[in-house]
PDB file of all heavy atoms in Angstrom:
ATOM      1  N   GLY A1051     -24.321  35.393 -26.863  1.00 98.00           N
ATOM      2  CA  GLY A1051     -23.346  34.431 -27.364  1.00 98.00           C
ATOM      3  C   GLY A1051     -22.214  34.160 -26.391  1.00 98.00           C
ATOM      4  O   GLY A1051     -21.263  33.443 -26.715  1.00 98.00           O
ATOM      5  N   VAL A1052     -22.300  34.696 -25.175  1.00 98.00           N
ATOM      6  CA  VAL A1052     -21.227  34.565 -24.194  1.00 98.00           C
ATOM      7  C   VAL A1052     -21.369  33.260 -23.406  1.00 98.00           C
ATOM      8  O   VAL A1052     -22.462  32.889 -22.978  1.00 98.00           O
ATOM      9  CB  VAL A1052     -21.227  35.765 -23.217  1.00 98.00           C
ATOM     10  CG1 VAL A1052     -20.298  35.510 -22.026  1.00 98.00           C
ATOM     11  CG2 VAL A1052     -20.810  37.036 -23.949  1.00 98.00           C
ATOM     12  N   SER A1053     -20.239  32.580 -23.214  1.00 98.00           N
ATOM     13  CA  SER A1053     -20.162  31.428 -22.310  1.00 98.00           C
ATOM     14  C   SER A1053     -19.080  31.716 -21.279  1.00 98.00           C
ATOM     15  O   SER A1053     -17.992  32.191 -21.634  1.00 98.00           O
ATOM     16  CB  SER A1053     -19.817  30.149 -23.077  1.00 98.00           C
ATOM     17  OG  SER A1053     -20.867  29.789 -23.953  1.00 98.00           O
ATOM     18  N   LEU A1054     -19.385  31.435 -20.040  1.00 98.00           N
ATOM     19  CA  LEU A1054     -18.468  31.742 -18.943  1.00 98.00           C
ATOM     20  C   LEU A1054     -18.487  30.628 -17.917  1.00 98.00           C
ATOM     21  O   LEU A1054     -19.500  29.942 -17.751  1.00 98.00           O
ATOM     22  CB  LEU A1054     -18.883  33.035 -18.235  1.00 98.00           C
ATOM     23  CG  LEU A1054     -18.404  34.390 -18.746  1.00 98.00           C
ATOM     24  CD1 LEU A1054     -18.975  35.478 -17.856  1.00 98.00           C
ATOM     25  CD2 LEU A1054     -16.889  34.455 -18.754  1.00 98.00           C
ATOM     26  N   ALA A1055     -17.376  30.486 -17.194  1.00 98.00           N
ATOM     27  CA  ALA A1055     -17.317  29.609 -16.028  1.00 98.00           C
ATOM     28  C   ALA A1055     -16.744  30.416 -14.866  1.00 98.00           C
ATOM     29  O   ALA A1055     -16.165  31.488 -15.071  1.00 98.00           O
ATOM     30  CB  ALA A1055     -16.457  28.383 -16.313  1.00 98.00           C
ATOM     31  N   ASP A1056     -16.928  29.893 -13.644  1.00 97.00           N
ATOM     32  CA  ASP A1056     -16.498  30.533 -12.395  1.00 97.00           C
ATOM     33  C   ASP A1056     -17.609  31.466 -11.892  1.00 97.00           C
ATOM     34  O   ASP A1056     -17.997  32.420 -12.565  1.00 97.00           O
ATOM     35  CB  ASP A1056     -15.198  31.305 -12.546  1.00 97.00           C
ATOM     36  CG  ASP A1056     -14.667  31.790 -11.197  1.00 97.00           C
ATOM     37  OD1 ASP A1056     -15.288  32.671 -10.593  1.00 97.00           O
ATOM     38  OD2 ASP A1056     -13.647  31.254 -10.755  1.00 97.00           O
ATOM     39  N   SER A1057     -18.096  31.160 -10.691  1.00 97.00           N
ATOM     40  CA  SER A1057     -19.295  31.833 -10.182  1.00 97.00           C
ATOM     41  C   SER A1057     -19.139  33.342 -10.030  1.00 97.00           C
ATOM     42  O   SER A1057     -20.071  34.100 -10.320  1.00 97.00           O
ATOM     43  CB  SER A1057     -19.719  31.212  -8.847  1.00 97.00           C
ATOM     44  OG  SER A1057     -18.676  31.293  -7.896  1.00 97.00           O
ATOM     45  N   VAL A1058     -17.987  33.806  -9.575  1.00 96.00           N
ATOM     46  CA  VAL A1058     -17.846  35.253  -9.384  1.00 96.00           C
ATOM     47  C   VAL A1058     -17.710  35.969 -10.725  1.00 96.00           C
ATOM     48  O   VAL A1058     -18.229  37.090 -10.898  1.00 96.00           O
ATOM     49  CB  VAL A1058     -16.671  35.592  -8.434  1.00 96.00           C
ATOM     50  CG1 VAL A1058     -15.324  35.305  -9.069  1.00 96.00           C
ATOM     51  CG2 VAL A1058     -16.762  37.049  -7.976  1.00 96.00           C
ATOM     52  N   LEU A1059     -17.051  35.355 -11.706  1.00 97.00           N
ATOM     53  CA  LEU A1059     -16.984  35.958 -13.036  1.00 97.00           C
ATOM     54  C   LEU A1059     -18.371  36.006 -13.679  1.00 97.00           C
ATOM     55  O   LEU A1059     -18.717  36.975 -14.373  1.00 97.00           O
ATOM     56  CB  LEU A1059     -16.019  35.180 -13.924  1.00 97.00           C
ATOM     57  CG  LEU A1059     -14.548  35.174 -13.499  1.00 97.00           C
ATOM     58  CD1 LEU A1059     -13.713  34.379 -14.491  1.00 97.00           C
ATOM     59  CD2 LEU A1059     -14.011  36.605 -13.372  1.00 97.00           C
ATOM     60  N   ILE A1060     -19.151  34.970 -13.434  1.00 98.00           N
ATOM     61  CA  ILE A1060     -20.526  34.964 -13.924  1.00 98.00           C
ATOM     62  C   ILE A1060     -21.321  36.081 -13.269  1.00 98.00           C
ATOM     63  O   ILE A1060     -22.106  36.785 -13.929  1.00 98.00           O
ATOM     64  CB  ILE A1060     -21.175  33.587 -13.680  1.00 98.00           C
ATOM     65  CG1 ILE A1060     -20.503  32.524 -14.554  1.00 98.00           C
ATOM     66  CG2 ILE A1060     -22.680  33.643 -13.958  1.00 98.00           C
ATOM     67  CD1 ILE A1060     -20.911  31.099 -14.225  1.00 98.00           C
ATOM     68  N   ALA A1061     -21.128  36.272 -11.957  1.00 98.00           N
ATOM     69  CA  ALA A1061     -21.839  37.345 -11.248  1.00 98.00           C
ATOM     70  C   ALA A1061     -21.503  38.704 -11.846  1.00 98.00           C
ATOM     71  O   ALA A1061     -22.390  39.549 -12.060  1.00 98.00           O
ATOM     72  CB  ALA A1061     -21.490  37.306  -9.764  1.00 98.00           C
ATOM     73  N   GLU A1062     -20.226  38.932 -12.131  1.00 97.00           N
ATOM     74  CA  GLU A1062     -19.820  40.206 -12.730  1.00 97.00           C
ATOM     75  C   GLU A1062     -20.445  40.379 -14.115  1.00 97.00           C
ATOM     76  O   GLU A1062     -20.898  41.477 -14.472  1.00 97.00           O
ATOM     77  CB  GLU A1062     -18.292  40.271 -12.813  1.00 97.00           C
ATOM     78  CG  GLU A1062     -17.625  40.381 -11.441  1.00 97.00           C
ATOM     79  CD  GLU A1062     -16.113  40.291 -11.508  1.00 97.00           C
ATOM     80  OE1 GLU A1062     -15.582  39.772 -12.519  1.00 97.00           O
ATOM     81  OE2 GLU A1062     -15.458  40.741 -10.550  1.00 97.00           O
ATOM     82  N   TYR A1063     -20.483  39.302 -14.876  1.00 98.00           N
ATOM     83  CA  TYR A1063     -21.099  39.358 -16.204  1.00 98.00           C
ATOM     84  C   TYR A1063     -22.597  39.685 -16.101  1.00 98.00           C
ATOM     85  O   TYR A1063     -23.117  40.516 -16.859  1.00 98.00           O
ATOM     86  CB  TYR A1063     -20.898  38.024 -16.927  1.00 98.00           C
ATOM     87  CG  TYR A1063     -21.758  37.878 -18.159  1.00 98.00           C
ATOM     88  CD1 TYR A1063     -21.385  38.476 -19.364  1.00 98.00           C
ATOM     89  CD2 TYR A1063     -22.955  37.152 -18.114  1.00 98.00           C
ATOM     90  CE1 TYR A1063     -22.187  38.362 -20.492  1.00 98.00           C
ATOM     91  CE2 TYR A1063     -23.753  37.033 -19.238  1.00 98.00           C
ATOM     92  CZ  TYR A1063     -23.370  37.647 -20.418  1.00 98.00           C
ATOM     93  OH  TYR A1063     -24.172  37.545 -21.533  1.00 98.00           O
ATOM     94  N   LEU A1064     -23.290  39.030 -15.195  1.00 98.00           N
ATOM     95  CA  LEU A1064     -24.730  39.259 -15.058  1.00 98.00           C
ATOM     96  C   LEU A1064     -25.024  40.702 -14.656  1.00 98.00           C
ATOM     97  O   LEU A1064     -25.984  41.314 -15.152  1.00 98.00           O
ATOM     98  CB  LEU A1064     -25.322  38.286 -14.032  1.00 98.00           C
ATOM     99  CG  LEU A1064     -25.276  36.799 -14.400  1.00 98.00           C
ATOM    100  CD1 LEU A1064     -25.793  35.954 -13.243  1.00 98.00           C
ATOM    101  CD2 LEU A1064     -26.072  36.511 -15.666  1.00 98.00           C
ATOM    102  N   ASP A1065     -24.218  41.261 -13.759  1.00 98.00           N
ATOM    103  CA  ASP A1065     -24.409  42.663 -13.378  1.00 98.00           C
ATOM    104  C   ASP A1065     -24.207  43.594 -14.571  1.00 98.00           C
ATOM    105  O   ASP A1065     -24.966  44.553 -14.764  1.00 98.00           O
ATOM    106  CB  ASP A1065     -23.434  43.043 -12.256  1.00 98.00           C
ATOM    107  CG  ASP A1065     -23.947  42.698 -10.870  1.00 98.00           C
ATOM    108  OD1 ASP A1065     -25.120  42.282 -10.752  1.00 98.00           O
ATOM    109  OD2 ASP A1065     -23.169  42.842  -9.903  1.00 98.00           O
ATOM    110  N   ALA A1066     -23.175  43.330 -15.367  1.00 98.00           N
ATOM    111  CA  ALA A1066     -22.869  44.210 -16.494  1.00 98.00           C
ATOM    112  C   ALA A1066     -23.879  44.062 -17.627  1.00 98.00           C
ATOM    113  O   ALA A1066     -24.230  45.050 -18.290  1.00 98.00           O
ATOM    114  CB  ALA A1066     -21.459  43.909 -17.011  1.00 98.00           C
ATOM    115  N   THR A1067     -24.349  42.853 -17.863  1.00 98.00           N
ATOM    116  CA  THR A1067     -25.213  42.576 -19.015  1.00 98.00           C
ATOM    117  C   THR A1067     -26.678  42.852 -18.717  1.00 98.00           C
ATOM    118  O   THR A1067     -27.456  43.187 -19.628  1.00 98.00           O
ATOM    119  CB  THR A1067     -25.033  41.109 -19.455  1.00 98.00           C
ATOM    120  OG1 THR A1067     -23.637  40.847 -19.626  1.00 98.00           O
ATOM    121  CG2 THR A1067     -25.749  40.826 -20.767  1.00 98.00           C
ATOM    122  N   TYR A1068     -27.069  42.726 -17.461  1.00 98.00           N
ATOM    123  CA  TYR A1068     -28.460  42.950 -17.057  1.00 98.00           C
ATOM    124  C   TYR A1068     -28.492  44.027 -15.968  1.00 98.00           C
ATOM    125  O   TYR A1068     -28.786  43.745 -14.802  1.00 98.00           O
ATOM    126  CB  TYR A1068     -29.076  41.625 -16.581  1.00 98.00           C
ATOM    127  CG  TYR A1068     -29.070  40.573 -17.666  1.00 98.00           C
ATOM    128  CD1 TYR A1068     -28.015  39.665 -17.779  1.00 98.00           C
ATOM    129  CD2 TYR A1068     -30.086  40.514 -18.604  1.00 98.00           C
ATOM    130  CE1 TYR A1068     -27.993  38.719 -18.800  1.00 98.00           C
ATOM    131  CE2 TYR A1068     -30.074  39.569 -19.627  1.00 98.00           C
ATOM    132  CZ  TYR A1068     -29.021  38.682 -19.718  1.00 98.00           C
ATOM    133  OH  TYR A1068     -29.001  37.752 -20.737  1.00 98.00           O
ATOM    134  N   PRO A1069     -28.182  45.278 -16.334  1.00 97.00           N
ATOM    135  CA  PRO A1069     -28.011  46.347 -15.348  1.00 97.00           C
ATOM    136  C   PRO A1069     -29.292  46.758 -14.630  1.00 97.00           C
ATOM    137  O   PRO A1069     -29.225  47.413 -13.580  1.00 97.00           O
ATOM    138  CB  PRO A1069     -27.468  47.510 -16.185  1.00 97.00           C
ATOM    139  CG  PRO A1069     -27.950  47.236 -17.576  1.00 97.00           C
ATOM    140  CD  PRO A1069     -27.935  45.743 -17.717  1.00 97.00           C
ATOM    141  N   ASP A1070     -30.459  46.380 -15.170  1.00 98.00           N
ATOM    142  CA  ASP A1070     -31.710  46.776 -14.537  1.00 98.00           C
ATOM    143  C   ASP A1070     -32.196  45.760 -13.515  1.00 98.00           C
ATOM    144  O   ASP A1070     -33.330  45.849 -13.035  1.00 98.00           O
ATOM    145  CB  ASP A1070     -32.791  46.985 -15.609  1.00 98.00           C
ATOM    146  CG  ASP A1070     -32.452  48.144 -16.545  1.00 98.00           C
ATOM    147  OD1 ASP A1070     -31.768  49.081 -16.084  1.00 98.00           O
ATOM    148  OD2 ASP A1070     -32.855  48.096 -17.723  1.00 98.00           O
ATOM    149  N   THR A1071     -31.361  44.787 -13.188  1.00 98.00           N
ATOM    150  CA  THR A1071     -31.693  43.796 -12.161  1.00 98.00           C
ATOM    151  C   THR A1071     -30.869  44.084 -10.912  1.00 98.00           C
ATOM    152  O   THR A1071     -29.871  44.810 -10.966  1.00 98.00           O
ATOM    153  CB  THR A1071     -31.393  42.373 -12.664  1.00 98.00           C
ATOM    154  OG1 THR A1071     -29.983  42.267 -12.970  1.00 98.00           O
ATOM    155  CG2 THR A1071     -32.200  42.057 -13.919  1.00 98.00           C
ATOM    156  N   PRO A1072     -31.275  43.547  -9.738  1.00 98.00           N
ATOM    157  CA  PRO A1072     -30.525  43.812  -8.500  1.00 98.00           C
ATOM    158  C   PRO A1072     -29.052  43.442  -8.639  1.00 98.00           C
ATOM    159  O   PRO A1072     -28.711  42.423  -9.246  1.00 98.00           O
ATOM    160  CB  PRO A1072     -31.226  42.916  -7.471  1.00 98.00           C
ATOM    161  CG  PRO A1072     -32.601  42.731  -8.013  1.00 98.00           C
ATOM    162  CD  PRO A1072     -32.463  42.704  -9.502  1.00 98.00           C
ATOM    163  N   LYS A1073     -28.194  44.260  -8.062  1.00 98.00           N
ATOM    164  CA  LYS A1073     -26.749  44.064  -8.196  1.00 98.00           C
ATOM    165  C   LYS A1073     -26.249  42.964  -7.264  1.00 98.00           C
ATOM    166  O   LYS A1073     -26.605  42.913  -6.084  1.00 98.00           O
ATOM    167  CB  LYS A1073     -26.002  45.364  -7.880  1.00 98.00           C
ATOM    168  CG  LYS A1073     -26.235  46.493  -8.872  1.00 98.00           C
ATOM    169  CD  LYS A1073     -25.628  46.155 -10.224  1.00 98.00           C
ATOM    170  CE  LYS A1073     -25.730  47.331 -11.187  1.00 98.00           C
ATOM    171  NZ  LYS A1073     -25.260  46.979 -12.543  1.00 98.00           N
ATOM    172  N   LEU A1074     -25.373  42.123  -7.811  1.00 98.00           N
ATOM    173  CA  LEU A1074     -24.693  41.110  -7.007  1.00 98.00           C
ATOM    174  C   LEU A1074     -23.438  41.679  -6.359  1.00 98.00           C
ATOM    175  O   LEU A1074     -23.087  41.312  -5.239  1.00 98.00           O
ATOM    176  CB  LEU A1074     -24.333  39.905  -7.884  1.00 98.00           C
ATOM    177  CG  LEU A1074     -25.529  39.169  -8.493  1.00 98.00           C
ATOM    178  CD1 LEU A1074     -25.072  38.250  -9.610  1.00 98.00           C
ATOM    179  CD2 LEU A1074     -26.270  38.382  -7.418  1.00 98.00           C
ATOM    180  N   LEU A1075     -22.758  42.550  -7.095  1.00 97.00           N
ATOM    181  CA  LEU A1075     -21.578  43.246  -6.580  1.00 97.00           C
ATOM    182  C   LEU A1075     -21.842  44.752  -6.717  1.00 97.00           C
ATOM    183  O   LEU A1075     -21.430  45.377  -7.690  1.00 97.00           O
ATOM    184  CB  LEU A1075     -20.313  42.852  -7.342  1.00 97.00           C
ATOM    185  CG  LEU A1075     -19.859  41.394  -7.180  1.00 97.00           C
ATOM    186  CD1 LEU A1075     -20.425  40.506  -8.289  1.00 97.00           C
ATOM    187  CD2 LEU A1075     -18.348  41.286  -7.163  1.00 97.00           C
ATOM    188  N   PRO A1076     -22.564  45.326  -5.745  1.00 95.00           N
ATOM    189  CA  PRO A1076     -22.936  46.738  -5.853  1.00 95.00           C
ATOM    190  C   PRO A1076     -21.709  47.633  -5.957  1.00 95.00           C
ATOM    191  O   PRO A1076     -20.613  47.265  -5.508  1.00 95.00           O
ATOM    192  CB  PRO A1076     -23.694  47.002  -4.541  1.00 95.00           C
ATOM    193  CG  PRO A1076     -24.123  45.661  -4.060  1.00 95.00           C
ATOM    194  CD  PRO A1076     -23.065  44.707  -4.512  1.00 95.00           C
ATOM    195  N   PRO A1077     -21.874  48.803  -6.566  1.00 93.00           N
ATOM    196  CA  PRO A1077     -20.753  49.744  -6.675  1.00 93.00           C
ATOM    197  C   PRO A1077     -20.105  50.001  -5.321  1.00 93.00           C
ATOM    198  O   PRO A1077     -20.790  50.177  -4.307  1.00 93.00           O
ATOM    199  CB  PRO A1077     -21.427  51.016  -7.215  1.00 93.00           C
ATOM    200  CG  PRO A1077     -22.623  50.513  -7.955  1.00 93.00           C
ATOM    201  CD  PRO A1077     -23.101  49.312  -7.193  1.00 93.00           C
ATOM    202  N   GLY A1078     -18.785  49.972  -5.317  1.00 93.00           N
ATOM    203  CA  GLY A1078     -18.039  50.198  -4.089  1.00 93.00           C
ATOM    204  C   GLY A1078     -17.776  48.953  -3.265  1.00 93.00           C
ATOM    205  O   GLY A1078     -17.030  49.000  -2.282  1.00 93.00           O
ATOM    206  N   SER A1079     -18.380  47.815  -3.669  1.00 94.00           N
ATOM    207  CA  SER A1079     -18.219  46.595  -2.866  1.00 94.00           C
ATOM    208  C   SER A1079     -17.335  45.558  -3.535  1.00 94.00           C
ATOM    209  O   SER A1079     -17.035  44.523  -2.938  1.00 94.00           O
ATOM    210  CB  SER A1079     -19.587  45.953  -2.598  1.00 94.00           C
ATOM    211  OG  SER A1079     -20.093  45.293  -3.756  1.00 94.00           O
ATOM    212  N   ARG A1080     -16.923  45.795  -4.764  1.00 92.00           N
ATOM    213  CA  ARG A1080     -16.223  44.763  -5.527  1.00 92.00           C
ATOM    214  C   ARG A1080     -14.936  44.314  -4.834  1.00 92.00           C
ATOM    215  O   ARG A1080     -14.668  43.118  -4.681  1.00 92.00           O
ATOM    216  CB  ARG A1080     -15.914  45.268  -6.933  1.00 92.00           C
ATOM    217  CG  ARG A1080     -15.373  44.203  -7.866  1.00 92.00           C
ATOM    218  CD  ARG A1080     -15.105  44.814  -9.232  1.00 92.00           C
ATOM    219  NE  ARG A1080     -16.320  45.354  -9.799  1.00 92.00           N
ATOM    220  CZ  ARG A1080     -17.051  44.710 -10.716  1.00 92.00           C
ATOM    221  NH1 ARG A1080     -16.667  43.532 -11.150  1.00 92.00           N
ATOM    222  NH2 ARG A1080     -18.144  45.241 -11.199  1.00 92.00           N
ATOM    223  N   THR A1081     -14.130  45.267  -4.372  1.00 93.00           N
ATOM    224  CA  THR A1081     -12.858  44.913  -3.730  1.00 93.00           C
ATOM    225  C   THR A1081     -13.091  44.111  -2.461  1.00 93.00           C
ATOM    226  O   THR A1081     -12.459  43.064  -2.239  1.00 93.00           O
ATOM    227  CB  THR A1081     -12.042  46.180  -3.415  1.00 93.00           C
ATOM    228  OG1 THR A1081     -11.757  46.865  -4.628  1.00 93.00           O
ATOM    229  CG2 THR A1081     -10.732  45.819  -2.725  1.00 93.00           C
ATOM    230  N   ILE A1082     -14.006  44.580  -1.624  1.00 92.00           N
ATOM    231  CA  ILE A1082     -14.234  43.897  -0.347  1.00 92.00           C
ATOM    232  C   ILE A1082     -14.868  42.523  -0.581  1.00 92.00           C
ATOM    233  O   ILE A1082     -14.577  41.564   0.144  1.00 92.00           O
ATOM    234  CB  ILE A1082     -15.107  44.754   0.597  1.00 92.00           C
ATOM    235  CG1 ILE A1082     -15.075  44.182   2.014  1.00 92.00           C
ATOM    236  CG2 ILE A1082     -16.526  44.867   0.104  1.00 92.00           C
ATOM    237  CD1 ILE A1082     -13.723  44.209   2.677  1.00 92.00           C
ATOM    238  N   GLN A1083     -15.700  42.396  -1.605  1.00 94.00           N
ATOM    239  CA  GLN A1083     -16.291  41.083  -1.883  1.00 94.00           C
ATOM    240  C   GLN A1083     -15.220  40.094  -2.332  1.00 94.00           C
ATOM    241  O   GLN A1083     -15.201  38.946  -1.880  1.00 94.00           O
ATOM    242  CB  GLN A1083     -17.392  41.207  -2.945  1.00 94.00           C
ATOM    243  CG  GLN A1083     -18.655  41.896  -2.442  1.00 94.00           C
ATOM    244  CD  GLN A1083     -19.904  41.367  -3.120  1.00 94.00           C
ATOM    245  OE1 GLN A1083     -20.122  40.157  -3.202  1.00 94.00           O
ATOM    246  NE2 GLN A1083     -20.754  42.273  -3.588  1.00 94.00           N
ATOM    247  N   HIS A1084     -14.322  40.519  -3.208  1.00 93.00           N
ATOM    248  CA  HIS A1084     -13.266  39.611  -3.647  1.00 93.00           C
ATOM    249  C   HIS A1084     -12.353  39.228  -2.482  1.00 93.00           C
ATOM    250  O   HIS A1084     -11.913  38.076  -2.380  1.00 93.00           O
ATOM    251  CB  HIS A1084     -12.466  40.249  -4.784  1.00 93.00           C
ATOM    252  CG  HIS A1084     -13.111  40.095  -6.129  1.00 93.00           C
ATOM    253  ND1 HIS A1084     -12.961  38.959  -6.891  1.00 93.00           N
ATOM    254  CD2 HIS A1084     -13.915  40.924  -6.847  1.00 93.00           C
ATOM    255  CE1 HIS A1084     -13.644  39.089  -8.017  1.00 93.00           C
ATOM    256  NE2 HIS A1084     -14.229  40.270  -8.022  1.00 93.00           N
ATOM    257  N   ALA A1085     -12.058  40.182  -1.601  1.00 94.00           N
ATOM    258  CA  ALA A1085     -11.218  39.888  -0.442  1.00 94.00           C
ATOM    259  C   ALA A1085     -11.915  38.906   0.493  1.00 94.00           C
ATOM    260  O   ALA A1085     -11.298  37.952   1.001  1.00 94.00           O
ATOM    261  CB  ALA A1085     -10.880  41.183   0.292  1.00 94.00           C
ATOM    262  N   PHE A1086     -13.204  39.111   0.734  1.00 93.00           N
ATOM    263  CA  PHE A1086     -13.975  38.212   1.591  1.00 93.00           C
ATOM    264  C   PHE A1086     -13.988  36.805   0.999  1.00 93.00           C
ATOM    265  O   PHE A1086     -13.781  35.816   1.719  1.00 93.00           O
ATOM    266  CB  PHE A1086     -15.411  38.737   1.726  1.00 93.00           C
ATOM    267  CG  PHE A1086     -16.293  37.930   2.643  1.00 93.00           C
ATOM    268  CD1 PHE A1086     -16.601  38.392   3.905  1.00 93.00           C
ATOM    269  CD2 PHE A1086     -16.822  36.705   2.241  1.00 93.00           C
ATOM    270  CE1 PHE A1086     -17.431  37.651   4.747  1.00 93.00           C
ATOM    271  CE2 PHE A1086     -17.641  35.962   3.070  1.00 93.00           C
ATOM    272  CZ  PHE A1086     -17.946  36.437   4.333  1.00 93.00           C
ATOM    273  N   LEU A1087     -14.218  36.708  -0.303  1.00 93.00           N
ATOM    274  CA  LEU A1087     -14.282  35.394  -0.946  1.00 93.00           C
ATOM    275  C   LEU A1087     -12.959  34.652  -0.833  1.00 93.00           C
ATOM    276  O   LEU A1087     -12.926  33.438  -0.587  1.00 93.00           O
ATOM    277  CB  LEU A1087     -14.674  35.551  -2.414  1.00 93.00           C
ATOM    278  CG  LEU A1087     -16.104  36.038  -2.679  1.00 93.00           C
ATOM    279  CD1 LEU A1087     -16.272  36.403  -4.139  1.00 93.00           C
ATOM    280  CD2 LEU A1087     -17.129  35.005  -2.254  1.00 93.00           C
ATOM    281  N   ALA A1088     -11.858  35.376  -0.998  1.00 91.00           N
ATOM    282  CA  ALA A1088     -10.541  34.748  -0.885  1.00 91.00           C
ATOM    283  C   ALA A1088     -10.309  34.232   0.533  1.00 91.00           C
ATOM    284  O   ALA A1088      -9.778  33.121   0.725  1.00 91.00           O
ATOM    285  CB  ALA A1088      -9.458  35.743  -1.273  1.00 91.00           C
ATOM    286  N   ALA A1089     -10.708  35.016   1.524  1.00 92.00           N
ATOM    287  CA  ALA A1089     -10.531  34.595   2.916  1.00 92.00           C
ATOM    288  C   ALA A1089     -11.488  33.463   3.275  1.00 92.00           C
ATOM    289  O   ALA A1089     -11.118  32.520   3.990  1.00 92.00           O
ATOM    290  CB  ALA A1089     -10.757  35.789   3.850  1.00 92.00           C
ATOM    291  N   TYR A1090     -12.696  33.535   2.758  1.00 90.00           N
ATOM    292  CA  TYR A1090     -13.721  32.542   3.082  1.00 90.00           C
ATOM    293  C   TYR A1090     -13.301  31.144   2.635  1.00 90.00           C
ATOM    294  O   TYR A1090     -13.564  30.153   3.321  1.00 90.00           O
ATOM    295  CB  TYR A1090     -15.032  32.960   2.418  1.00 90.00           C
ATOM    296  CG  TYR A1090     -16.194  32.019   2.616  1.00 90.00           C
ATOM    297  CD1 TYR A1090     -16.574  31.599   3.894  1.00 90.00           C
ATOM    298  CD2 TYR A1090     -16.948  31.560   1.533  1.00 90.00           C
ATOM    299  CE1 TYR A1090     -17.640  30.756   4.087  1.00 90.00           C
ATOM    300  CE2 TYR A1090     -18.020  30.714   1.711  1.00 90.00           C
ATOM    301  CZ  TYR A1090     -18.367  30.317   2.987  1.00 90.00           C
ATOM    302  OH  TYR A1090     -19.435  29.475   3.172  1.00 90.00           O
ATOM    303  N   ARG A1091     -12.619  31.063   1.496  1.00 85.00           N
ATOM    304  CA  ARG A1091     -12.179  29.756   0.995  1.00 85.00           C
ATOM    305  C   ARG A1091     -11.206  29.073   1.957  1.00 85.00           C
ATOM    306  O   ARG A1091     -11.034  27.857   1.916  1.00 85.00           O
ATOM    307  CB  ARG A1091     -11.511  29.924  -0.374  1.00 85.00           C
ATOM    308  CG  ARG A1091     -12.459  30.339  -1.484  1.00 85.00           C
ATOM    309  CD  ARG A1091     -11.774  30.322  -2.837  1.00 85.00           C
ATOM    310  NE  ARG A1091     -12.620  30.885  -3.883  1.00 85.00           N
ATOM    311  CZ  ARG A1091     -12.499  32.118  -4.373  1.00 85.00           C
ATOM    312  NH1 ARG A1091     -11.544  32.910  -3.905  1.00 85.00           N
ATOM    313  NH2 ARG A1091     -13.303  32.564  -5.310  1.00 85.00           N
ATOM    314  N   LEU A1092     -10.552  29.849   2.787  1.00 89.00           N
ATOM    315  CA  LEU A1092      -9.560  29.298   3.708  1.00 89.00           C
ATOM    316  C   LEU A1092     -10.105  29.121   5.123  1.00 89.00           C
ATOM    317  O   LEU A1092      -9.392  28.636   5.999  1.00 89.00           O
ATOM    318  CB  LEU A1092      -8.333  30.230   3.760  1.00 89.00           C
ATOM    319  CG  LEU A1092      -7.647  30.514   2.415  1.00 89.00           C
ATOM    320  CD1 LEU A1092      -6.535  31.539   2.612  1.00 89.00           C
ATOM    321  CD2 LEU A1092      -7.108  29.231   1.810  1.00 89.00           C
ATOM    322  N   MET A1093     -11.351  29.514   5.338  1.00 90.00           N
ATOM    323  CA  MET A1093     -11.883  29.561   6.697  1.00 90.00           C
ATOM    324  C   MET A1093     -12.398  28.239   7.223  1.00 90.00           C
ATOM    325  O   MET A1093     -12.616  28.089   8.421  1.00 90.00           O
ATOM    326  CB  MET A1093     -13.024  30.586   6.789  1.00 90.00           C
ATOM    327  CG  MET A1093     -12.574  32.024   6.704  1.00 90.00           C
ATOM    328  SD  MET A1093     -13.952  33.168   6.907  1.00 90.00           S
ATOM    329  CE  MET A1093     -14.309  32.965   8.651  1.00 90.00           C
TER     330      MET A1093
END
C-alpha cells in the first residue's frame, strides 16, 4: 500500500521491503552514496 516519489527514497524502500534481492545501498555505503549523489548533481 506504499506510494513513494524520489529515486533514492524509492531505492531505500526497495532494499528494506525486498531484503532478499541485491542491495542498492549496501550496508556501510549509505553515507558515501548520499554524499556522492549530492556532489554529482553539481558536477
Side-chain angles (χ1 to χ4, degrees):
V1052 169
S1053 294
L1054 273 180
D1056 188 291
S1057 58
V1058 70
L1059 296 181
I1060 293 170
E1062 291 174 340
Y1063 167 80
L1064 295 175
D1065 275 353
T1067 308
Y1068 300 93
D1070 296 331
T1071 61
K1073 293 293 186 185
L1074 297 165
L1075 294 93
S1079 75
R1080 189 180 300 260
T1081 299
I1082 193 64
Q1083 289 212 49
H1084 278 277
F1086 183 104
L1087 292 169
Y1090 178 52
R1091 292 187 188 101
L1092 303 175
M1093 289 183 71

